[in-house]
Amino acid sequence: MLIVPNALVGPALRLIRANRAFVSEAGARRRIRERALRPVPYGPPATLRPDVRVDVERFGDWPVYTVSPTKRAATGGVVYAHGGGWVGEIAPQHWVLAATIAAETGATVTLPIYPLVPYGTAAEARMGMVELVRRSLDRHGPTVLAGDSAGGQIALSAALRLRDDGIVLPMTTLLSPALDLTWSNPRIPLVQPSDPWLATPGGRVFAEHWRGDLDLRDPAVSPLVGELAGLGPITLLSGTRDVLNPDAELLVERARAAGVPLDFHEGVGQFHVWALLPTRSGKAATQTIVRSIARGLR
């Protein structure tokens, strides 16, 4: 398996202009229009690791995939919300992570293809995730929530709603989550020069679409502002070269003040969603995610 040196990641991201949808409002609007006119495929890669099976069904209007282990008894469930800035479709890296989780924990991983901007909204995504967790509990037993980036926002907002409904999850695992869609943390501009991936101008455009009819400070949109007390344990991964890192550090403070167990893995010098990158540190972060989920399913 190809391993990319960490030192090459930043220059490569800048070379391919990975942040072009985020560095300006115009770039974000172009990305929304592109995705509306030319939706990208969302199905699994032609090959995944041989010890998992992929199935698909309809859940209301959503295609929903499950990735299940084939060489060990399936036990427990994971409902995973993929990232992509609320406008980007599930990527091959998400499929690889889901397959790794299924094979190494024995859980059945549910991957919803939720509606994206300009059609999807935070409220719809949260309710869909809540119902998928309920279904996973019925089908697979103990279930955890997980998500990266935009999917982390969806996952944590769904965990808050489930808590309100009397369902406390044994684990919520978040990789580089978006937590406050106001983008108002005063430390974001300090981190911005080191982040080759995300930026505030486009992020605010995507957030305005994603919020739908809700206020940006509604916990369904910005879960960082919600009441955290009563949540189950959280595992949080966040890199210091990520403009979402300042809000991750706030989540650590607020969760601990609310008595919520939180295991924080701060990747010094790491980028946004670095567990999805083909680097040694990315592989190590993937194993942190796997261990977190396995711990929640014990």
Side-chain angles (χ1 to χ4, degrees), residues 218-238:
D218 189 296
V221 181
S222 298
L224 182 63
V225 305
E227 173 55 58
L228 302 178
L231 284 176
I234 296 171
T235 298
L236 173 63
L237 293 83
S238 179

Side-chain angles (χ1 to χ4, degrees), residues 148-229:
D148 68 278
S149 191
Q153 175 264 318
I154 297 169
L156 185 55
S157 69
L160 290 170
R161 177 57 185 264
L162 285 159
R163 185 265 331 262
D164 292 344
D165 293 344
I167 299 173
V168 178
L169 298 174
M171 182 64 69
T172 300
T173 302
L174 306 172
L175 169 61
S176 304
L179 297 167
D180 181 355
L181 271 62
T182 67
W183 295 78
S184 59
N185 192 311
R187 287 193 57 243
I188 290 176
L190 303 179
V191 178
Q192 183 66 79
S194 70
D195 186 343
W197 209 323
L198 302 181
T200 301
R204 285 181 171 151
V205 171
F206 295 136
E208 278 296 319
H209 282 269
W210 187 243
R211 72 181 180 90
D213 294 330
L214 299 177
D215 189 273
L216 282 172
R217 295 187 64 80
D218 189 296
V221 181
S222 298
L224 182 63
V225 305
E227 173 55 58
L228 302 178

Side-chain angles (χ1 to χ4, degrees), residues 80 93 96-97 148 175-176 237 270-279 281-289:
Y80 191 95
Q93 296 92 330
V96 170
L97 177 59
D148 68 278
L175 169 61
S176 304
L237 293 83
Q270 297 300 331
F271 299 102
H272 185 62
V273 297
W274 85 98
L276 301 179
L277 299 176
T279 61
S281 55
K283 301 303 178 188
T286 292
Q287 287 305 306
T288 297
I289 292 169

Side-chain angles (χ1 to χ4, degrees), residues 33 64 82 93 121 161 203 224:
R33 178 170 170 76
V64 172
H82 72 82
Q93 296 92 330
T121 64
R161 177 57 185 264
L224 182 63

Side-chain angles (χ1 to χ4, degrees), residues 73-132:
T75 176
V78 179
V79 180
Y80 191 95
H82 72 82
W86 307 282
V87 72
E89 196 50 89
I90 188 170
Q93 296 92 330
H94 295 117
W95 285 104
V96 170
L97 177 59
T100 300
I101 292 169
E104 297 188 15
T105 69
T108 297
V109 181
T110 299
L111 284 170
I113 307 301
Y114 58 89
L116 301 170
V117 167
Y119 308 112
T121 64
E124 178 185 3
R126 179 181 66 167
M127 288 311 301
M129 291 292 287
V130 165
E131 293 307 313
L132 285 170

